Amino acid sequence: QVQLAEAGGGSVQAGGSLRLSCAASGYTGSSYCVGWFRRVSGTQREGVAAIGVNGIPTYADSVKGRFTISRDAANDDLYLQMTNLQPEDSGMYYCAAELTTCRPERWLLWSGFQTTHWGRGTQVTVSS
């Protein structure tokens, strides 16, 4: 059974940084996409960053140059380093894994698939 548990959310001022982590279990390194999504209050869930089977990261335009996704190959744990945070980055951040054939760009654009596994989320609040 796939289990994803996020940690590291919190409250920061604009310009600050946070590092999210995701403890993953229940699947092997054969997963096709792992990544981060977020839901900003009043909006739909959106893709933030993902890594596909080739190991190359993909980012939403809104976070390019500020966020860095990484993965621990030894245990499949996932991380999201967020810098220069802005109030519009506030929201619930979710770790996700897709075990079917997955193109990260499409997975992010479609806000995940019906087969995507989700964590419970961690709240990020950025004040101006």
Side-chain angles (χ1 to χ4, degrees):
Q1 182 179 357
V2 175
Q3 292 186 331
L4 304 166
E6 303 92 339
S11 299
V12 296
Q13 291 189 329
S17 300
L18 283 173
R19 185 173 187 250
L20 305 183
S21 61
C22 175
S25 62
Y27 64 95
T28 68
S30 60
S31 57
Y32 284 92
C33 285
V34 288
W36 293 92
F37 295 75
R38 67 186 181 188
R39 187 187 298 276
V40 177
S41 179
T43 67
Q44 293 184 336
R45 183 175 56 213
E46 62 180 7
V48 175
I51 299 176
V53 65
N54 60 8
I56 298 174
T58 300
Y59 298 96
D61 288 344
S62 59
V63 305
K64 282 181 180 177
R66 301 188 298 124
F67 291 12
T68 303
I69 186 173
S70 61
R71 180 179 183 179
D72 187 334
N75 55 23
D76 282 331
D77 287 353
L78 194 66
Y79 304 93
L80 185 68
Q81 178 68 47
M82 305 184 293
T83 62
N84 192 21
L85 283 161
Q86 301 300 315
E88 54 266 33
D89 294 316
S90 296
M92 188 69 77
Y93 282 69
Y94 299 92
C95 176
E98 177 58 49
L99 306 186
T100 65
T101 301
C102 174
R103 293 184 180 181
E105 298 85 356
R106 187 169 298 178
W107 191 48
L108 292 180
L109 184 64
W110 290 0
S111 299
F113 301 155
Q114 288 188 347
T115 49
T116 296
H117 298 271
W118 302 97
R120 293 190 174 185
T122 185
Q123 180 68 37
V124 171
T125 303
V126 185
S127 58
S128 58

